[in-house]
Amino acid sequence: MSSHTPAPTPAHVVDPVGGCPHALNAHLRARGPVADIVLPGGVSAAVVLGHDALKEFLSHPDVAKDARHCPALHDGTIPADWPLRVFANAQGMHTADGADHRRLRALVGNAFTARQVERLRPRIEELTAGLLDDLGRAAAEDPAGIADLRTHFALPLPMSVICELLGVDPEHRGRLHDLTYTVVIATDTTPAEVMAAVRELVELLGTIAAARRAAPGEDLTSALIAVREDGGDRLSEAELIGTMRLMLVAGHETTLNLISNAVRALCAHRDQLALVLEGRATWSDVVDETLRWDGPVSWFPFRYPTRDLALGGTVIPQGTPVLAGYTAAGRDEAFHGPDAGRFDVTRPGAGRHLSFGQGVHYCVGAPLARLEATIALERLFTRFPDLDLAVPEAELPRQRSFIGNSVEALPVRLVRPVLR
């Protein structure tokens, strides 16, 4: 009688084109809360997919954000032009640990307290009203009455808010979005495309910083520069640019996807929309259930165990680049129950998702994202209660990404067509 050890499960090879993550998440999560993966470029990594495992991982004392804890990035194993290196090489609070992280986070944290964010409410409401006018005009000018919600509403709202906070002049905003999408969201890009976009983005942010240095204002960039120049050693140029880049990307790409995903979910679940319009659930409930059920970020790079780490029955070797599987954790039946795959705005405890992270790196901009999304959705559906997708959900073009989770375009019809 012979005994044999079952063959190890082969690592999942990640498709750089990404697409809708939920079927893949369910498949991998069925094997366990942690999966070995191979990233584009043949780089071995891991992704944490289970809610409990991810919560533990995100706040674990033996997990670091600083890329010096990943030998493969420095010993020639991973090539210098690897596109995902931008996540490891960026300098800012999202790649810092300990005292460095606390110092950098403190510099921007004051701008995003609940009180400071609430002061932005009138401006967000004003921007929302103007953009809804634009959306209505765009639909009126189209023969079929269709407009792209992302182009006319879900993108310009958070982009305008974060750019006003940072003191970025309007003429730079379109290019900044194109560059940040290439650098951070798209994962089907070539090394040359990413390197060129990173160079241009750093140059453009340097130009914006120089303009604020020459003419300081009441904006966050001016405040960051003042802190650096008064203290002498607070923020290096690389940290300044890295912090601006983080604020810009996290301040608009994620909220753009959050608003888009909430609109798609409500259009596909008219009964849930009716609950909110009838006052039996709130717009905050919609935001939290969207963050859980179809969050704006799917698998986010990188963290590195500083020692071999046992997690969910798996050992992740020291120095492994690890991605946080936010969309996977959001539908984990072991935590959210057997109906985790159902969109339900009345779900008890929907807010216990991890879409804003956990622990010391919890998203500093969470209060702003929540405020923008709740105002946007309430005003949108109050003004256009019959708004619906102009094409079937399955035909919407997906983001070419395993990092971002949304669609590239969101054509909507604002009024129900009259049947003749």
Side-chain angles (χ1 to χ4, degrees), residues 161-174:
V161 173
I162 198 65
C163 284
E164 287 182 12
L165 268 178
L166 286 169
V168 175
D169 295 332
E171 69 262 23
H172 296 311
R173 294 176 189 176

Side-chain angles (χ1 to χ4, degrees), residues 245-285:
R245 180 167 119 186
L246 172 64
M247 297 289 102
L248 188 74
V249 173
H252 91 274
E253 291 285 3
T254 49
T255 309
L256 159 63
N257 282 1
L258 171 57
I259 294 170
S260 302
N261 291 2
V263 170
R264 288 168 46 228
L266 291 168
C267 288
H269 302 82
R270 306 301 294 194
D271 59 322
Q272 300 297 303
L273 175 59
L275 289 174
V276 190
L277 293 175
E278 292 162 11
R280 290 191 282 159
T282 69
W283 293 105
S284 292
D285 295 333

Side-chain angles (χ1 to χ4, degrees), residues 92-93 99-113 166 219-231 233-236 239-240 243-244 247 364:
M93 63 183 172
D100 252 358
H101 171 253
R102 288 191 293 275
R103 171 178 68 92
L104 293 166
R105 189 176 174 105
L107 293 177
V108 299
N110 289 341
F112 294 99
T113 62
L166 286 169
D219 56 86
L220 193 50
T221 303
S222 299
L224 291 170
I225 291 166
V227 164
R228 187 166 71 92
E229 293 183 342
D230 290 348
D233 61 353
R234 293 296 297 281
L235 223 57
S236 69
E239 286 173 334
L240 172 67
T243 300
M244 290 172 67
M247 297 289 102
V364 72

Side-chain angles (χ1 to χ4, degrees), residues 1-20:
M1 194 168 132
S2 67
S3 66
H4 66 275
T5 308
T9 308
H12 168 74
V13 179
V14 175
D15 182 350
V17 174
C20 184

Side-chain angles (χ1 to χ4, degrees), residues 353-401:
H353 58 76
L354 298 170
S355 286
F356 287 126
Q358 178 76 18
V360 296
H361 284 279
Y362 184 85
C363 175
V364 72
L368 179 59
R370 284 182 182 284
L371 184 65
E372 289 174 345
T374 48
I375 290 173
L377 295 167
E378 178 180 13
R379 299 300 167 93
L380 176 68
F381 283 102
T382 300
R383 180 136 164 206
F384 304 113
D386 290 335
L387 178 143
D388 209 349
L389 302 184
V391 300
E393 164 78 31
E395 293 175 20
L396 293 171
R398 297 288 315 191
Q399 285 188 332
R400 302 181 313 281
S401 180

Side-chain angles (χ1 to χ4, degrees), residues 45-110:
V47 59
V48 185
L49 306 151
H51 175 98
D52 290 341
L54 183 58
K55 187 173 182 179
E56 180 183 349
F57 178 75
L58 293 175
S59 47
H60 202 290
D62 297 317
V63 172
K65 288 279 242 166
D66 190 322
R68 68 190 172 85
H69 295 284
C70 180
L73 285 164
H74 311 289
D75 64 11
T77 306
I78 296 175
D81 66 351
W82 186 49
L84 292 175
R85 208 178 252 280
V86 294
F87 290 93
N89 291 355
Q91 282 190 269
M93 63 183 172
H94 57 312
T95 53
D97 299 307
D100 252 358
H101 171 253
R102 288 191 293 275
R103 171 178 68 92
L104 293 166
R105 189 176 174 105
L107 293 177
V108 299
N110 289 341

